[in-house]
């Protein structure tokens, strides 16, 4: 009877966990309608950040393989032609360039032009990670970096560090330029969406996503410890132990992906 009650408790806990997760995803503050970039341009002229909220900069970005370019490079007398317009978020090993798949190791520059009527306001960007280092610029100003971008393994330093950053836009047409380098992982590129919005909305989104991840970590950890403790007390079956260890692995994974909660506990952690 006690074993049966324990199983009922677990089933109820799992159901509650998934219901709350669904609720989090429904009310997570990310945009309900979405614009997409086309051929390196996203048109936000009719996007009201006060009314419509945060927007993700997904879609077709200009892509320059094995080149680390800056704003000045794009505004020389002889224009630079992109190697293609490729989907973001994605990894460049999914890209087909001249009939060939790109290798995991290398560097690249992504560029997106943003058209907007919302000027002279403080905007924010929510950036998770790119594989495995990046430098992000608004026009000719560097506003975010993670690790060190280089064109070789020796000149690159990988780092996964989510960020929220602020910038002031004073133009109706500005550029987001992202240099990315990867010489350590099996996939490279901008594999997460970048979100842009009013600075206060971006910070609220960051807090919400971090809270959601913390909730999932806490619930998963409690369930893991419960099953491990159940095995230690009863020792009738190893199923509870295996399930507990599996949940523990899931809990650990939550802290080293997405919002990288481990950085809240160990700020100096190198990931």
């Amino acid at each position: 009877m006690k074993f049966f009650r324990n199983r009922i408790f677990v089933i109820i806990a799992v159901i509650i966990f998934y219901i709350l997760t669904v609720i989090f995803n429904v009310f997570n503050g990310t945009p309900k309608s979405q614009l997409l970039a086309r051929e390196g341009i996203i048109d936000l002229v009719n996007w009201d950040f006060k009314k419509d909220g945060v927007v993700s900069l997904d879609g077709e970005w200009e892509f320059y393989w094995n080149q680390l370019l800056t704003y000045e490079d794009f505004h020389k007398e002889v224009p630079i032609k992109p190697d293609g317009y490729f989907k973001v978020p994605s990894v460049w090993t999914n890209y087909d360039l001249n009939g060939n798949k790109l290798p995991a190791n290398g560097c690249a520059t992504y560029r997106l032009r943003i058209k907007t009527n919302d000027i002279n306001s403080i905007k924010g960007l929510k950036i998770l990670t790119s594989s495995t280092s990046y430098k992000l610029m608004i026009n000719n100003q560097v506003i975010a970096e993670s690790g060190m971008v280089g064109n070789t393994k020796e000149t690159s330093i990988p780092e996964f560090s989510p960020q929220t950053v602020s910038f002031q836009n004073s133009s109706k047409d500005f550029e987001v330029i992202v240099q990315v380098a990867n010489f350590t992982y099996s996939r490279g590129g901008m594999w997460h969406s970048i979100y842009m919005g009013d600075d206060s909305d971006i910070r609220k989104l960051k807090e919400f996503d971090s809270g959601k991840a913390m909730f999932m970590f806490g619930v998963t950890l409690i369930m893991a410890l419960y099953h491990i403790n159940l095995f230690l007390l009863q020792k009738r079956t190893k199923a509870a132990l295996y399930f507990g260890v599996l949940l523990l692995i899931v809990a650990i994974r939550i802290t080293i992906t997405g919002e990288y909660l481990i950085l809240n506990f160990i700020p100096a952690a190198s990931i």
Side-chain angles (χ1 to χ4, degrees):
M1 181 62 71
K2 183 177 179 181
F3 179 81
F4 180 75
R5 287 198 304 268
N6 289 335
R7 284 291 175 259
I8 293 295
F9 170 79
V10 171
I11 293 172
I12 293 174
V14 170
I15 292 174
I16 293 174
F17 172 73
Y18 281 108
I19 289 175
L20 290 174
T21 301
V22 170
I23 292 174
F24 268 125
N25 288 328
V26 171
F27 298 101
N28 63 2
T30 53
K32 295 180 176 59
S33 59
Q34 189 56 63
L35 300 174
L36 291 175
R38 303 291 183 188
E39 295 188 348
I41 300 174
I42 186 166
D43 189 345
L44 301 179
V45 169
N46 296 317
W47 188 272
D48 186 339
F49 286 97
K50 298 296 183 186
K51 177 182 176 182
D52 300 321
V54 172
V55 62
S56 67
L57 304 181
D58 293 351
E60 298 173 346
W61 288 52
E62 294 178 8
F63 183 77
Y64 303 82
W65 176 239
N66 270 339
Q67 301 180 75
L68 298 176
L69 304 174
T70 65
Y71 181 81
E72 287 75 15
D73 294 321
F74 290 113
H75 293 273
K76 293 180 178 179
E77 292 185 7
V78 180
I80 303 174
K81 293 184 179 180
D83 293 314
Y85 300 97
F86 293 118
K87 177 185 175 183
V88 171
S90 185
V91 289
W92 60 50
T93 47
N94 291 335
Y95 298 164
D96 192 310
L97 193 60
N98 299 323
N100 299 310
K101 292 291 185 181
L102 293 178
N105 292 348
C107 62
T109 300
Y110 297 77
R111 183 171 76 141
L112 179 68
R113 289 177 55 199
I114 298 177
K115 296 184 176 182
T116 179
N117 283 329
D118 191 328
I119 61 175
N120 297 321
S121 60
I122 303 298
K123 289 288 177 281
L125 294 178
K126 181 177 184 291
I127 313 160
L128 285 178
T129 60
S130 291
S131 181
T132 48
S133 61
Y134 72 85
K135 178 189 291 185
L136 187 148
M137 294 160 275
I138 301 293
N139 292 339
N140 59 351
Q141 180 182 3
V142 177
I143 66 167
E145 290 185 88
S146 181
M148 182 176 294
V149 176
N151 53 17
T152 65
K153 184 175 182 180
E154 291 72 26
T155 58
S156 301
I157 299 176
E159 181 182 26
F160 292 153
S161 179
Q163 301 181 58
T164 55
V165 294
S166 304
F167 68 97
Q168 183 165 6
N169 171 49
S170 58
S171 173
K172 291 186 177 182
D173 190 337
F174 65 95
E175 302 173 17
V176 180
I177 301 167
V178 186
Q179 299 176 350
V180 180
N182 174 57
F183 294 94
T184 57
Y185 196 61
S186 60
R187 296 174 295 166
M190 292 175 59
W191 55 11
H192 286 299
S193 297
I194 295 177
Y195 290 96
M196 186 178 81
D198 288 341
D199 186 57
S200 59
D201 290 338
I202 286 294
R203 298 193 181 279
K204 288 177 183 176
L205 178 60
K206 168 66 175 177
E207 291 174 3
F208 185 92
D209 287 346
S210 295
K212 181 174 66 174
M214 186 67 75
F215 167 79
M216 296 176 66
F217 167 71
V219 172
T220 307
L221 180 62
I222 289 172
M223 293 176 62
L225 295 178
Y226 169 81
H227 280 84
I228 293 173
N229 185 60
L230 189 66
F231 167 76
L232 294 176
L233 291 176
Q234 295 184 351
K235 294 184 178 179
R236 295 179 181 176
T237 173
K238 292 184 178 180
L241 175 63
Y242 296 152
F243 189 53
V245 171
L246 176 62
L247 289 172
L248 188 60
I249 293 172
V250 172
I252 293 173
R253 187 179 187 278
I254 290 172
T255 68
I256 57 174
T257 58
E259 297 295 328
Y260 285 83
L261 294 178
I262 191 172
L263 297 176
N264 295 335
F265 306 110
I266 312 174
S270 178
I271 302 176

